[in-house]
C-alpha cells in the first residue's frame, strides 16, 4: 500500500496529466493524517498544475483530517469518501464544494 506522501504525489500527477478531467484549476488542500506514518501534507493546485509539499500551509481552502489507515482504505476504494465523512472518520474544514471536486480522483 502506498504511503500518504506517495499517494498524494500520484494524485498531483493525475491532476497535471489531465487538468480538464480533474475539474480543479486552483485550490489548496491540506491533509492532516494521524497515526503511524501520519503527518501533514499540502496539495496546491494553481492554474491547473498541482504540487505536493510536506508540512502545513497557510491559506488552505480545504483541510482534510483522518487517520492514515482510513486514508489508505479510502484511496484503495474500500472506504467511500461520503461514508467516511458521514461516520466521522473523515473531517473536512473549509470549502466543501472544492473538497467534493477532489472525490473522483481519490480512488
Amino acid at each position: 500500500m502506498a504511503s500518504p506522501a506517495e499517494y498524494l504525489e500520484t494524485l498531483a500527477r493525475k491532476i497535471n496529466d489531465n487538468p480538464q478531467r480533474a475539474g480543479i484549476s486552483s485550490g489548496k488542500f491540506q491533509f492532516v493524517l494521524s497515526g503511524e506514518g501520519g503527518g501533514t501534507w499540502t496539495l496546491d493546485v494553481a492554474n491547473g498544475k498541482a504540487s505536493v509539499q510536506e508540512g502545513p500551509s497557510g491559506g488552505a481552502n480545504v483541510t482534510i483530517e483522518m487517520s492514515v489507515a482510513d486514508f489508505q482504505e479510502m484511496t484503495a476504494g474500500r472506504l467511500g469518501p461520503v461514508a467516511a465523512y458521514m461516520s466521522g472518520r473523515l473531517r473536512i474544514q473549509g470549502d466543501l464544494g472544492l473538497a467534493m471536486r477532489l472525490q473522483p480522483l481519490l480512488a
Side-chain angles (χ1 to χ4, degrees):
M1 204 171 271
S3 73
E6 292 168 333
Y7 185 81
L8 290 170
E9 287 292 342
T10 299
L11 180 59
R13 278 194 299 279
K14 282 183 184 179
I15 293 169
N16 291 336
D17 289 348
N18 195 345
Q20 295 295 338
R21 181 185 171 279
I24 303 169
S25 60
S26 65
K28 202 177 269 195
F29 302 85
Q30 185 168 271
F31 291 82
V32 180
L33 305 177
S34 59
E36 187 175 334
T40 301
W41 291 269
T42 301
L43 173 67
D44 191 0
V45 183
N47 299 316
K49 293 293 179 188
S51 63
V52 175
Q53 298 87 33
E54 189 169 355
S57 174
N61 303 97
V62 177
T63 299
I64 297 166
E65 297 178 41
M66 64 189 322
S67 72
V68 170
D70 286 341
F71 180 77
Q72 289 175 325
E73 288 293 305
M74 187 174 67
T75 58
R78 293 186 293 265
L79 174 64
V82 173
Y85 180 78
M86 296 302 286
S87 68
R89 295 166 70 181
L90 165 64
R91 290 168 303 287
I92 299 173
Q93 297 174 5
D95 187 339
L96 190 57
L98 185 59
M100 293 297 286
R101 285 193 232 150
L102 195 61
Q103 180 180 347
L105 301 172
L106 289 175

